[in-house]
Amino acid sequence: MTIAVTSSYNGRFSMHIRQRAAGAVLALGLAVGGLSATAFPATAADLSCSARLVTGSAGHKGASVTCTGGAFTAYVDCERTDNGYQYRHFGNRAVSGGTSTVWCDLNARVIHVDAVPS
């Protein structure tokens, strides 16, 4: 009886090892083949966006961007009006069909608007 239990135990153990090995081979195959078990994020080419410039209550300049084709984050390149310093601000992350709004600092203007997949 002890031999049967040991044999049964070893059978389960080797089956477990075979399942793990098969899983590892599958994962390696997916990785080498460039595939993944998770969804791929959208690429910039997948996004179709429209943007409009907006002005906040205190005079801040910004942009409101709506995209379809995947989740995205809008950004604006801003330029300060007093010294010409340029910088970039990112908006909120939004899902496909949603809106991402992003603002420049006070006394700055929007010089470029775009969105990136996220």
Side-chain angles (χ1 to χ4, degrees):
M1 247 188 193
T2 304
I3 294 172
V5 171
T6 304
S7 176
S8 175
Y9 173 78
N10 286 342
R12 283 193 304 264
F13 179 76
S14 63
M15 180 61 152
H16 181 69
I17 293 296
R18 281 193 299 261
Q19 288 171 341
R20 292 181 98 187
V25 168
L26 178 62
L28 180 61
L30 289 173
V32 170
L35 301 175
S36 173
T38 60
F40 291 105
T43 64
D46 295 335
L47 294 177
S48 175
C49 302
S50 63
R52 66 183 176 90
L53 297 178
V54 293
T55 302
S57 60
H60 290 81
K61 304 298 184 188
S64 179
V65 180
T66 301
C67 297
T68 58
F72 67 98
T73 301
Y75 70 87
V76 292
D77 291 330
C78 305
E79 182 178 59
R80 287 183 46 168
T81 55
D82 58 349
N83 62 10
Y85 178 74
Q86 294 181 1
Y87 57 93
R88 179 170 287 176
H89 275 182
F90 288 88
N92 57 295
R93 182 178 186 271
V95 296
S96 181
T99 300
S100 178
T101 304
V102 58
W103 299 97
C104 292
D105 295 336
L106 195 57
N107 298 321
R109 65 186 184 100
V110 176
I111 57 174
H112 180 79
V113 179
D114 208 343
V116 292
S118 60

